[in-house]
Amino acid sequence: MDSHDSTFPLIISVDDHTVEPASVWQDRLPEKYRGVGPRIVRAPVKEMTFLGGRFRPVMGEPGDDGPVGDWWVYEELRRPLTRLDTAVGYSRDEIKLEVITYEQMRPGSYDVPARLADMDVNHVQSALCFPTFPRFCGQTFTEAKDHELGLLCVRAYNDWMVEEWCGPDARGRLIPLTLIPLWDAELAAEEVRRNAARGVRAVAFSEIPPYLGLPSIHGDGWDPFLQACDETGTVIAMHIGSSSRMPSTSADAPPAVGSTITFANCCFSMVDWLMSGKFEQFPHLKVMYAEGQIGWIPYILERADVVWEENRAWGGVADKVHRPPSELFAEHVYGCFFDDAFGLRNLDAIGLRNVLYETDYPHSDSTWPKSREVGEAQMGHLEAGVVERIVRRNAIELLGLSDEGLWPGGTR
């Protein structure tokens, strides 16, 4: 590990990302599906726009003019790899929305030994990684036409995640995060149990499923999935953007508006969960919000408690939420941050045991390779035991890691 002298604990990051190697699905899908399943094609960009927050690239033909990049091709989807998928190692001025090839990204984005080396440089011991091509909770496969193929793609991704990305070469330092077929809660439950049987303790989910055309958590549509998570101790991990709709205010609002309020969907989602009754129906359920930061949490808990106390009779929650939302939060919800000085000054109002740390490698917001220095600057006013809990201990307890901070399934 890192040879620098430092009293700052080795980091367990609960929000990093993997860029899937080109072979993930081609190596695992039945032969009849390989021609329509996800595969990489190298091609130029024929046309590219970025309007109203939506990126629309058009893939050209070999020989066409235009920047050349590696594209994921799946059914009708043509999705290029971009510099925003993997920005570490490049200066801020070089980070633009442009297509790239695998050779133009840092190898740690997709290669396990290179990732571990980059973690060493960054004082990171272990990391939980969200997907790239499937999107943050598998929306790519949910939106596809062929759900039989989509289910095979979800399972193939999970097999790669557990057996290769978090396999023996990772030495327990990479923590698996799996996907579910979001279109079928019973199949989702089966996939949770299949992966839990091999030691997986986290599954990706959407902050606001109705934004994806799926049921809300207020009904019983997700109950088979939630029951499986409750029984297996599988944490429901929700990343900003997992609703495929980043918050903004208008079509002509500059990107800086949305960038300032990226936490908003986490906020809405947390209130959904606190007022849903699901934490009482499934008492072992745990949820976490990746990259949502934490400074907004105290007021939302205060407001939720006031509403529950004063308005529950007509507010539709008296028959299912029997305890103050802040109490439910303390037992069931985790906020994740990498840059939140205000939140760190208000830990008492959030709950020390409800906070997790992250580095966001390899995205443009990542604190790599200075995550230790950033953490020391942010947490220098805190006692060593408090820092240890934020940076390591909470993640160890939540994700069922060894006392040394490693995923047991990767060290057998």
Side-chain angles (χ1 to χ4, degrees):
M1 291 300 298
D2 196 315
S3 60
H4 293 288
D5 290 331
S6 174
T7 57
F8 195 77
L10 285 171
I11 296 166
I12 298 177
S13 174
V14 297
D15 173 28
D16 285 1
H17 299 265
T18 178
V19 176
E20 298 80 19
S23 61
V24 168
W25 289 278
Q26 291 299 297
D27 283 354
R28 290 168 181 79
L29 288 176
E31 187 172 354
K32 70 173 184 176
Y33 283 119
R34 290 176 191 164
V36 290
R39 59 206 181 277
I40 286 288
V41 174
R42 183 160 292 184
V45 174
K46 183 177 181 180
E47 180 183 325
M48 185 165 63
T49 60
F50 186 56
L51 299 172
R54 294 193 66 83
F55 177 47
R56 290 188 175 87
V58 178
M59 190 169 77
E61 299 292 335
D64 285 353
D65 291 334
V68 173
D70 284 335
W71 299 67
W72 281 109
V73 177
Y74 171 47
E75 292 191 342
E76 305 304 314
L77 179 64
R78 304 290 183 269
R79 194 279 197 194
L81 297 175
T82 76
R83 176 57 60 214
L84 298 189
D85 292 328
T86 171
V88 292
Y90 289 79
S91 74
R92 295 291 176 184
D93 292 338
E94 294 177 297
I95 300 172
K96 302 171 183 176
L97 187 54
E98 59 184 358
V99 299
I100 60 171
T101 65
Y102 279 94
E103 289 79 7
Q104 292 171 300
M105 68 175 75
R106 194 169 182 86
S109 303
Y110 59 86
D111 177 77
V112 170
R115 172 61 65 95
L116 298 186
D118 278 355
M119 290 162 63
D120 288 346
V121 168
N122 201 31
H123 201 68
V124 172
Q125 179 187 29
S126 307
L128 180 84
C129 296
F130 284 82
T132 296
F133 171 70
R135 313 222 300 275
F136 292 146
C137 65
Q139 301 101 302
T140 296
F141 304 126
T142 303
E143 294 169 0
K145 295 176 182 176
D146 185 344
H147 278 168
E148 180 181 352
L149 171 57
L151 179 60
L152 292 172
C153 287
V154 166
R155 289 175 173 163
Y157 176 87
N158 292 341
D159 290 346
W160 168 80
M161 167 61 62
V162 174
E163 297 166 8
E164 288 198 34
W165 185 250
C166 301
D169 288 349
R171 305 194 303 277
R173 295 179 60 190
L174 295 173
I175 307 162
L177 173 70
T178 51
L179 302 176
I180 54 169
L182 289 161
W183 58 90
D184 188 315
E186 295 284 357
L187 290 175
E190 288 180 17
E191 192 61 14
V192 166
R193 291 190 172 96
R194 183 176 82 95
N195 292 306
R198 47 185 177 175
V200 176
R201 290 288 298 274
V203 64
F205 192 62
S206 173
E207 306 156 304
I208 307 178
Y211 284 1
L212 304 179
L214 299 168
S216 81
I217 62 162
H218 295 290
D220 58 7
W222 291 108
D223 283 2
F225 164 66
L226 301 182
Q227 181 71 42
C229 292
D230 181 81
E231 289 177 3
T232 60
T234 299
V235 179
I236 297 175
M238 295 171 281
H239 196 285
I240 61 168
S242 58
S243 301
S244 297
R245 188 190 303 182
M246 292 299 286
S248 191
T249 55
S250 63
D252 58 351
V257 172
S259 186
T260 302
I261 58 174
T262 53
F263 70 92
N265 283 346
C266 299
C267 172
F268 300 161
S269 174
M270 190 178 84
V271 176
D272 249 358
W273 281 93
L274 293 175
M275 298 298 188
S276 69
K278 297 303 178 185
F279 292 143
E280 293 180 77
Q281 185 179 354
F282 302 105
H284 305 295
L285 210 56
K286 308 281 188 183
V287 305
M288 57 168 269
Y289 289 99
E291 209 173 325
Q293 313 303 336
I294 59 174
W296 52 273
I297 291 173
Y299 172 70
I300 295 301
L301 294 180
E302 177 183 288
R303 177 61 184 164
D305 278 358
V306 169
V307 168
W308 177 81
E309 185 67 43
E310 298 183 358
N311 302 338
R312 63 178 179 265
W314 62 264
V317 297
D319 62 338
K320 59 184 178 180
V321 181
H322 303 106
R323 298 166 57 200
S326 60
E327 288 186 14
L328 298 173
F329 171 90
E331 295 177 10
H332 299 276
V333 184
Y334 294 77
C336 312
F337 78 100
F338 58 79
D339 183 15
D340 194 335
F342 183 82
L344 287 170
R345 291 196 302 271
N346 292 275
L347 282 173
D348 287 348
I350 299 167
L352 175 58
R353 294 177 180 271
N354 299 83
V355 174
L356 304 167
Y357 200 50
E358 57 187 51
T359 76
D360 200 29
Y361 179 107
H363 286 179
S364 60
D365 283 338
S366 178
T367 52
W368 186 93
K370 302 289 186 182
S371 296
R372 182 191 63 216
E373 291 85 346
V374 170
E376 288 173 334
Q378 289 181 336
M379 302 184 217
H381 65 293
L382 300 174
E383 294 180 1
V386 172
V387 177
E388 170 79 14
R389 179 151 287 284
I390 292 171
V391 173
R392 292 180 57 79
R393 181 52 51 184
N394 286 339
I396 287 171
E397 293 175 0
L398 178 65
L399 297 171
L401 307 181
S402 70
D403 286 341
E404 293 74 32
L406 302 174
W407 177 53
T411 57
R412 296 190 184 113

